[in-house]
Amino acid sequence: MIVYRDKLSGDEMLSDGYKLEPVLDNEGAPIPGLMQCASQLISKSGDVDIGCGNEFGGNADDDGPVDNSEKVNNVIDAFQYTETSMSTATDLKSFLKEYMNKIRQHMRDKGKPKEEIQAFMATAPGIAKYLVSHFNDLQFFYGPSFNIDTMVYAIYHEGALTPNFLYIMAGYDQEKF
């Protein structure tokens, strides 16, 4: 199992149990460094009636299975995301600039090769352009530590009931278990 841990906060933000796919721009080309995973609503605990009447202590008047459990988003629930807000696209642009610089500094501090840092910084404008251009369609989430330097983005594609979560992959360390 691979876990994606945020470089700045140390929060576990994703695992390979969720399929990552490239984010595509309006022309259908992948945006380097930006990945997404689809989410879905799931039942969270609770009693589930399997529809066997009173055979197992249920009510004889049962008409079939009834799921009264709470529905939650699987990604939000698994990684304890908390929704936050961003006022304007200009605020998002400023946040992204600061975030990219912090990731670059983190890479330098960890002794990453200059070429790897340059490759990341080459992807930064495309990532920022995509996110800022979709500002009105985005939701913003903090990780479990509520670290303001850590942000995950969610976008509802046309007709979707649940969002896709967007990740700037250079901001995560992969840990294999």
Side-chain angles (χ1 to χ4, degrees), residues 112-160:
K112 297 289 183 184
K114 185 177 181 179
E115 296 79 19
E116 188 176 332
I117 296 169
Q118 288 174 336
F120 161 65
M121 291 309 291
T123 67
I127 293 169
K129 181 181 177 183
Y130 178 85
L131 293 173
V132 170
S133 70
H134 288 86
F135 175 78
N136 291 329
D137 301 323
L138 294 175
Q139 288 179 286
F140 305 92
F141 293 87
Y142 289 137
S145 70
F146 296 96
N147 185 316
I148 61 171
D149 294 329
T150 302
M151 186 87 59
V152 173
Y153 313 94
I155 189 167
Y156 284 83
H157 292 293
E158 189 172 328

Short mmCIF file of all heavy atoms in Angstrom, two decimals, residues 112-160:
data_model
loop_
_atom_site.label_atom_id
_atom_site.label_comp_id
_atom_site.label_asym_id
_atom_site.label_seq_id
_atom_site.Cartn_x
_atom_site.Cartn_y
_atom_site.Cartn_z
N LYS A 112 16.95 17.62 -2.82
CA LYS A 112 16.50 17.12 -4.12
C LYS A 112 17.37 17.72 -5.23
O LYS A 112 17.83 18.85 -5.12
CB LYS A 112 15.03 17.48 -4.38
CG LYS A 112 14.06 16.87 -3.39
CD LYS A 112 13.93 15.39 -3.61
CE LYS A 112 12.90 14.80 -2.67
NZ LYS A 112 12.80 13.38 -2.77
N PRO A 113 17.60 16.96 -6.28
CA PRO A 113 18.42 17.49 -7.39
C PRO A 113 17.79 18.74 -8.01
O PRO A 113 16.56 18.87 -8.08
CB PRO A 113 18.42 16.34 -8.42
CG PRO A 113 17.95 15.14 -7.69
CD PRO A 113 17.15 15.60 -6.53
N LYS A 114 18.65 19.63 -8.47
CA LYS A 114 18.21 20.89 -9.06
C LYS A 114 17.24 20.63 -10.23
O LYS A 114 16.27 21.36 -10.39
CB LYS A 114 19.43 21.67 -9.54
CG LYS A 114 19.14 23.03 -10.06
CD LYS A 114 20.42 23.76 -10.44
CE LYS A 114 20.10 25.15 -10.95
NZ LYS A 114 21.31 25.89 -11.30
N GLU A 115 17.50 19.59 -11.01
CA GLU A 115 16.65 19.27 -12.15
C GLU A 115 15.23 18.91 -11.72
O GLU A 115 14.26 19.27 -12.38
CB GLU A 115 17.24 18.10 -12.97
CG GLU A 115 18.57 18.40 -13.60
CD GLU A 115 19.75 18.31 -12.63
OE1 GLU A 115 19.63 17.69 -11.55
OE2 GLU A 115 20.80 18.91 -12.95
N GLU A 116 15.10 18.19 -10.60
CA GLU A 116 13.78 17.81 -10.08
C GLU A 116 13.01 19.05 -9.61
O GLU A 116 11.81 19.17 -9.85
CB GLU A 116 13.94 16.81 -8.94
CG GLU A 116 12.64 16.21 -8.46
CD GLU A 116 12.84 15.15 -7.38
OE1 GLU A 116 13.90 14.49 -7.35
OE2 GLU A 116 11.91 14.98 -6.56
N ILE A 117 13.71 19.96 -8.96
CA ILE A 117 13.09 21.20 -8.50
C ILE A 117 12.65 22.04 -9.70
O ILE A 117 11.54 22.57 -9.72
CB ILE A 117 14.05 21.99 -7.58
CG1 ILE A 117 14.34 21.17 -6.31
CG2 ILE A 117 13.47 23.35 -7.23
CD1 ILE A 117 15.47 21.70 -5.46
N GLN A 118 13.51 22.14 -10.69
CA GLN A 118 13.17 22.90 -11.89
C GLN A 118 11.98 22.27 -12.63
O GLN A 118 11.12 22.99 -13.15
CB GLN A 118 14.38 23.01 -12.82
CG GLN A 118 15.45 23.94 -12.28
CD GLN A 118 16.71 23.93 -13.13
OE1 GLN A 118 17.01 22.97 -13.85
NE2 GLN A 118 17.48 25.02 -13.04
N ALA A 119 11.94 20.94 -12.67
CA ALA A 119 10.82 20.26 -13.33
C ALA A 119 9.51 20.57 -12.60
O ALA A 119 8.48 20.82 -13.24
CB ALA A 119 11.07 18.75 -13.37
N PHE A 120 9.55 20.57 -11.27
CA PHE A 120 8.35 20.93 -10.51
C PHE A 120 7.93 22.36 -10.80
O PHE A 120 6.76 22.64 -11.08
CB PHE A 120 8.58 20.74 -9.00
CG PHE A 120 7.59 21.50 -8.16
CD1 PHE A 120 6.25 21.18 -8.19
CD2 PHE A 120 7.99 22.58 -7.38
CE1 PHE A 120 5.32 21.90 -7.44
CE2 PHE A 120 7.08 23.29 -6.63
CZ PHE A 120 5.74 22.95 -6.67
N MET A 121 8.88 23.28 -10.75
CA MET A 121 8.54 24.69 -10.98
C MET A 121 8.04 24.94 -12.40
O MET A 121 7.25 25.84 -12.63
CB MET A 121 9.74 25.59 -10.66
CG MET A 121 10.08 25.63 -9.16
SD MET A 121 8.67 25.99 -8.06
CE MET A 121 8.35 27.69 -8.45
N ALA A 122 8.44 24.10 -13.34
CA ALA A 122 7.94 24.22 -14.71
C ALA A 122 6.46 23.82 -14.79
O ALA A 122 5.73 24.30 -15.66
CB ALA A 122 8.78 23.36 -15.65
N THR A 123 6.02 22.96 -13.88
CA THR A 123 4.60 22.54 -13.88
C THR A 123 3.71 23.54 -13.14
O THR A 123 2.50 23.55 -13.35
CB THR A 123 4.41 21.15 -13.23
OG1 THR A 123 4.72 21.23 -11.83
CG2 THR A 123 5.27 20.09 -13.90
N ALA A 124 4.30 24.34 -12.28
CA ALA A 124 3.53 25.24 -11.41
C ALA A 124 2.60 26.18 -12.16
O ALA A 124 1.43 26.32 -11.79
CB ALA A 124 4.46 26.01 -10.48
N PRO A 125 3.04 26.85 -13.23
CA PRO A 125 2.12 27.77 -13.92
C PRO A 125 0.89 27.07 -14.50
O PRO A 125 -0.22 27.61 -14.42
CB PRO A 125 2.99 28.38 -15.03
CG PRO A 125 4.39 28.23 -14.55
CD PRO A 125 4.40 26.95 -13.76
N GLY A 126 1.07 25.88 -15.08
CA GLY A 126 -0.07 25.15 -15.64
C GLY A 126 -1.07 24.72 -14.58
O GLY A 126 -2.29 24.80 -14.79
N ILE A 127 -0.55 24.29 -13.43
CA ILE A 127 -1.42 23.89 -12.31
C ILE A 127 -2.20 25.10 -11.82
O ILE A 127 -3.42 25.05 -11.65
CB ILE A 127 -0.59 23.26 -11.18
CG1 ILE A 127 0.00 21.93 -11.64
CG2 ILE A 127 -1.43 23.09 -9.92
CD1 ILE A 127 1.05 21.35 -10.70
N ALA A 128 -1.49 26.20 -11.59
CA ALA A 128 -2.13 27.42 -11.08
C ALA A 128 -3.16 27.93 -12.07
O ALA A 128 -4.28 28.31 -11.68
CB ALA A 128 -1.09 28.49 -10.79
N LYS A 129 -2.83 27.93 -13.35
CA LYS A 129 -3.77 28.41 -14.37
C LYS A 129 -5.05 27.59 -14.36
O LYS A 129 -6.15 28.14 -14.41
CB LYS A 129 -3.11 28.35 -15.75
CG LYS A 129 -3.99 28.83 -16.87
CD LYS A 129 -3.29 28.73 -18.23
CE LYS A 129 -4.23 29.14 -19.33
NZ LYS A 129 -3.61 28.98 -20.66
N TYR A 130 -4.92 26.27 -14.28
CA TYR A 130 -6.10 25.41 -14.27
C TYR A 130 -6.97 25.69 -13.03
O TYR A 130 -8.17 25.88 -13.14
CB TYR A 130 -5.71 23.93 -14.29
CG TYR A 130 -6.91 23.02 -14.23
CD1 TYR A 130 -7.59 22.68 -15.39
CD2 TYR A 130 -7.37 22.52 -13.02
CE1 TYR A 130 -8.72 21.86 -15.35
CE2 TYR A 130 -8.49 21.71 -12.97
CZ TYR A 130 -9.15 21.38 -14.13
OH TYR A 130 -10.27 20.58 -14.07
N LEU A 131 -6.34 25.71 -11.86
CA LEU A 131 -7.10 25.91 -10.62
C LEU A 131 -7.75 27.28 -10.57
O LEU A 131 -8.93 27.40 -10.22
CB LEU A 131 -6.21 25.68 -9.40
CG LEU A 131 -5.73 24.24 -9.20
CD1 LEU A 131 -4.72 24.15 -8.07
CD2 LEU A 131 -6.90 23.29 -8.94
N VAL A 132 -7.03 28.32 -10.94
CA VAL A 132 -7.59 29.67 -10.91
C VAL A 132 -8.72 29.80 -11.93
O VAL A 132 -9.76 30.41 -11.65
CB VAL A 132 -6.49 30.73 -11.13
CG1 VAL A 132 -7.08 32.11 -11.34
CG2 VAL A 132 -5.52 30.74 -9.94
N SER A 133 -8.56 29.20 -13.11
CA SER A 133 -9.61 29.30 -14.13
C SER A 133 -10.88 28.54 -13.74
O SER A 133 -11.95 28.82 -14.26
CB SER A 133 -9.10 28.79 -15.49
OG SER A 133 -8.92 27.39 -15.48
N HIS A 134 -10.76 27.59 -12.82
CA HIS A 134 -11.92 26.84 -12.34
C HIS A 134 -12.33 27.25 -10.93
O HIS A 134 -13.04 26.51 -10.25
CB HIS A 134 -11.63 25.33 -12.39
CG HIS A 134 -11.59 24.78 -13.77
ND1 HIS A 134 -10.45 24.80 -14.55
CD2 HIS A 134 -12.56 24.23 -14.53
CE1 HIS A 134 -10.72 24.27 -15.72
NE2 HIS A 134 -11.99 23.92 -15.74
N PHE A 135 -11.89 28.42 -10.49
CA PHE A 135 -12.12 28.86 -9.12
C PHE A 135 -13.59 28.72 -8.70
O PHE A 135 -13.88 28.22 -7.62
CB PHE A 135 -11.67 30.33 -8.93
CG PHE A 135 -12.00 30.88 -7.58
CD1 PHE A 135 -11.22 30.55 -6.49
CD2 PHE A 135 -13.11 31.67 -7.38
CE1 PHE A 135 -11.53 31.03 -5.22
CE2 PHE A 135 -13.43 32.16 -6.12
CZ PHE A 135 -12.63 31.83 -5.04
N ASN A 136 -14.51 29.16 -9.54
CA ASN A 136 -15.93 29.13 -9.16
C ASN A 136 -16.50 27.72 -9.05
O ASN A 136 -17.56 27.53 -8.46
CB ASN A 136 -16.76 29.94 -10.16
CG ASN A 136 -16.49 31.42 -10.04
OD1 ASN A 136 -16.18 31.92 -8.97
ND2 ASN A 136 -16.57 32.12 -11.16
N ASP A 137 -15.79 26.73 -9.58
CA ASP A 137 -16.25 25.35 -9.53
C ASP A 137 -15.58 24.55 -8.41
O ASP A 137 -15.91 23.37 -8.22
CB ASP A 137 -15.96 24.64 -10.86
CG ASP A 137 -16.64 25.33 -12.03
OD1 ASP A 137 -17.78 25.80 -11.86
OD2 ASP A 137 -16.02 25.40 -13.11
N LEU A 138 -14.64 25.15 -7.71
CA LEU A 138 -13.84 24.42 -6.72
C LEU A 138 -14.43 24.51 -5.32
O LEU A 138 -15.06 25.49 -4.95
CB LEU A 138 -12.41 24.97 -6.68
CG LEU A 138 -11.55 24.76 -7.91
CD1 LEU A 138 -10.20 25.46 -7.72
CD2 LEU A 138 -11.34 23.28 -8.19
N GLN A 139 -14.16 23.45 -4.55
CA GLN A 139 -14.32 23.45 -3.10
C GLN A 139 -12.92 23.28 -2.54
O GLN A 139 -12.04 22.68 -3.17
CB GLN A 139 -15.18 22.27 -2.64
CG GLN A 139 -16.64 22.40 -2.97
CD GLN A 139 -17.39 21.16 -2.50
OE1 GLN A 139 -17.27 20.12 -3.10
NE2 GLN A 139 -18.12 21.29 -1.41
N PHE A 140 -12.69 23.78 -1.34
CA PHE A 140 -11.37 23.76 -0.74
C PHE A 140 -11.43 23.01 0.59
O PHE A 140 -12.37 23.18 1.36
CB PHE A 140 -10.89 25.20 -0.50
CG PHE A 140 -10.92 26.03 -1.76
CD1 PHE A 140 -12.03 26.79 -2.08
CD2 PHE A 140 -9.84 26.02 -2.62
CE1 PHE A 140 -12.07 27.54 -3.24
CE2 PHE A 140 -9.87 26.77 -3.79
CZ PHE A 140 -10.99 27.52 -4.10
N PHE A 141 -10.40 22.18 0.84
CA PHE A 141 -10.38 21.35 2.03
C PHE A 141 -9.01 21.39 2.68
O PHE A 141 -7.98 21.39 2.00
CB PHE A 141 -10.71 19.89 1.68
CG PHE A 141 -12.11 19.68 1.21
CD1 PHE A 141 -12.44 19.83 -0.13
CD2 PHE A 141 -13.10 19.33 2.10
CE1 PHE A 141 -13.73 19.65 -0.57
CE2 PHE A 141 -14.41 19.14 1.67
CZ PHE A 141 -14.72 19.30 0.32
N TYR A 142 -9.02 21.42 4.02
CA TYR A 142 -7.80 21.22 4.81
C TYR A 142 -7.69 19.75 5.16
O TYR A 142 -8.69 19.03 5.22
CB TYR A 142 -7.87 22.00 6.13
CG TYR A 142 -7.75 23.49 6.00
CD1 TYR A 142 -8.58 24.33 6.73
CD2 TYR A 142 -6.78 24.08 5.19
CE1 TYR A 142 -8.46 25.71 6.64
CE2 TYR A 142 -6.67 25.46 5.10
CZ TYR A 142 -7.51 26.26 5.82
OH TYR A 142 -7.40 27.62 5.74
N GLY A 143 -6.47 19.34 5.47
CA GLY A 143 -6.25 17.99 5.99
C GLY A 143 -6.58 17.95 7.47
O GLY A 143 -7.03 18.93 8.06
N PRO A 144 -6.36 16.79 8.10
CA PRO A 144 -6.77 16.62 9.50
C PRO A 144 -6.07 17.53 10.51
O PRO A 144 -6.61 17.80 11.57
CB PRO A 144 -6.45 15.15 9.80
CG PRO A 144 -5.58 14.69 8.70
CD PRO A 144 -5.81 15.58 7.53
N SER A 145 -4.89 18.06 10.19
CA SER A 145 -4.20 18.93 11.14
C SER A 145 -4.63 20.39 11.00
O SER A 145 -4.17 21.24 11.76
CB SER A 145 -2.68 18.82 10.95
OG SER A 145 -2.30 19.41 9.73
N PHE A 146 -5.49 20.69 10.03
CA PHE A 146 -5.95 22.05 9.77
C PHE A 146 -4.79 23.00 9.44
O PHE A 146 -4.87 24.20 9.66
CB PHE A 146 -6.76 22.63 10.93
CG PHE A 146 -8.04 21.90 11.19
CD1 PHE A 146 -8.09 20.92 12.17
CD2 PHE A 146 -9.17 22.17 10.45
CE1 PHE A 146 -9.25 20.23 12.41
CE2 PHE A 146 -10.34 21.48 10.69
CZ PHE A 146 -10.39 20.51 11.67
N ASN A 147 -3.72 22.47 8.90
CA ASN A 147 -2.56 23.27 8.53
C ASN A 147 -2.94 24.13 7.33
O ASN A 147 -3.35 23.60 6.28
CB ASN A 147 -1.39 22.35 8.18
CG ASN A 147 -0.12 23.10 7.90
OD1 ASN A 147 -0.11 24.12 7.21
ND2 ASN A 147 0.98 22.59 8.43
N ILE A 148 -2.82 25.44 7.46
CA ILE A 148 -3.26 26.34 6.39
C ILE A 148 -2.36 26.25 5.15
O ILE A 148 -2.71 26.78 4.10
CB ILE A 148 -3.37 27.79 6.86
CG1 ILE A 148 -2.03 28.32 7.34
CG2 ILE A 148 -4.43 27.93 7.93
CD1 ILE A 148 -2.01 29.81 7.63
N ASP A 149 -1.21 25.60 5.27
CA ASP A 149 -0.34 25.41 4.11
C ASP A 149 -0.74 24.20 3.28
O ASP A 149 -0.20 23.97 2.21
CB ASP A 149 1.12 25.24 4.56
CG ASP A 149 1.67 26.49 5.20
OD1 ASP A 149 1.23 27.60 4.79
OD2 ASP A 149 2.52 26.38 6.08
N THR A 150 -1.66 23.42 3.79
CA THR A 150 -2.09 22.19 3.13
C THR A 150 -3.49 22.38 2.59
O THR A 150 -4.40 22.73 3.32
CB THR A 150 -2.08 21.02 4.14
OG1 THR A 150 -0.77 20.89 4.67
CG2 THR A 150 -2.51 19.74 3.48
N MET A 151 -3.66 22.13 1.30
CA MET A 151 -4.97 22.33 0.71
C MET A 151 -5.22 21.25 -0.33
O MET A 151 -4.32 20.87 -1.08
CB MET A 151 -5.04 23.70 0.04
CG MET A 151 -6.37 24.10 -0.50
SD MET A 151 -7.49 24.92 0.65
CE MET A 151 -6.59 26.35 1.17
N VAL A 152 -6.43 20.76 -0.34
CA VAL A 152 -6.90 19.83 -1.37
C VAL A 152 -8.08 20.52 -2.04
O VAL A 152 -8.85 21.23 -1.39
CB VAL A 152 -7.34 18.48 -0.75
CG1 VAL A 152 -7.98 17.58 -1.78
CG2 VAL A 152 -6.15 17.79 -0.11
N TYR A 153 -8.23 20.28 -3.32
CA TYR A 153 -9.28 20.93 -4.09
C TYR A 153 -10.25 19.87 -4.59
O TYR A 153 -9.86 18.75 -4.90
CB TYR A 153 -8.66 21.67 -5.29
CG TYR A 153 -7.48 22.49 -4.88
CD1 TYR A 153 -6.19 21.98 -4.95
CD2 TYR A 153 -7.65 23.76 -4.35
CE1 TYR A 153 -5.09 22.72 -4.53
CE2 TYR A 153 -6.56 24.51 -3.92
CZ TYR A 153 -5.29 23.98 -4.01
OH TYR A 153 -4.22 24.71 -3.59
N ALA A 154 -11.51 20.24 -4.67
CA ALA A 154 -12.52 19.32 -5.21
C ALA A 154 -13.30 20.05 -6.28
O ALA A 154 -13.59 21.24 -6.16
CB ALA A 154 -13.45 18.85 -4.10
N ILE A 155 -13.62 19.32 -7.34
CA ILE A 155 -14.38 19.89 -8.45
C ILE A 155 -15.45 18.89 -8.88
O ILE A 155 -15.21 17.69 -8.91
CB ILE A 155 -13.45 20.26 -9.63
CG1 ILE A 155 -14.20 21.05 -10.70
CG2 ILE A 155 -12.78 19.03 -10.22
CD1 ILE A 155 -13.29 21.70 -11.73
N TYR A 156 -16.64 19.40 -9.12
CA TYR A 156 -17.73 18.58 -9.63
C TYR A 156 -17.71 18.67 -11.15
O TYR A 156 -17.87 19.76 -11.71
CB TYR A 156 -19.09 19.07 -9.13
CG TYR A 156 -19.38 18.72 -7.70
CD1 TYR A 156 -18.89 19.49 -6.66
CD2 TYR A 156 -20.13 17.60 -7.39
CE1 TYR A 156 -19.16 19.16 -5.34
CE2 TYR A 156 -20.41 17.26 -6.08
CZ TYR A 156 -19.92 18.05 -5.06
OH TYR A 156 -20.18 17.72 -3.76
N HIS A 157 -17.48 17.56 -11.81
CA HIS A 157 -17.58 17.56 -13.27
C HIS A 157 -19.05 17.56 -13.65
O HIS A 157 -19.91 17.15 -12.85
CB HIS A 157 -16.85 16.36 -13.86
CG HIS A 157 -15.37 16.45 -13.67
ND1 HIS A 157 -14.60 17.41 -14.29
CD2 HIS A 157 -14.51 15.71 -12.93
CE1 HIS A 157 -13.34 17.25 -13.95
NE2 HIS A 157 -13.25 16.24 -13.11
N GLU A 158 -19.36 18.01 -14.81
CA GLU A 158 -20.74 18.18 -15.24
C GLU A 158 -21.55 16.90 -15.01
O GLU A 158 -21.18 15.81 -15.44
CB GLU A 158 -20.80 18.55 -16.73
CG GLU A 158 -22.17 18.94 -17.18
CD GLU A 158 -22.18 19.50 -18.59
OE1 GLU A 158 -21.19 20.13 -19.00
OE2 GLU A 158 -23.18 19.27 -19.27
N GLY A 159 -22.64 17.05 -14.26
CA GLY A 159 -23.55 15.95 -13.99
C GLY A 159 -23.14 15.03 -12.85
O GLY A 159 -23.86 14.09 -12.53
N ALA A 160 -22.00 15.27 -12.24
CA ALA A 160 -21.50 14.40 -11.17
C ALA A 160 -22.24 14.65 -9.87
O ALA A 160 -22.59 15.79 -9.55
CB ALA A 160 -20.01 14.60 -10.97
#
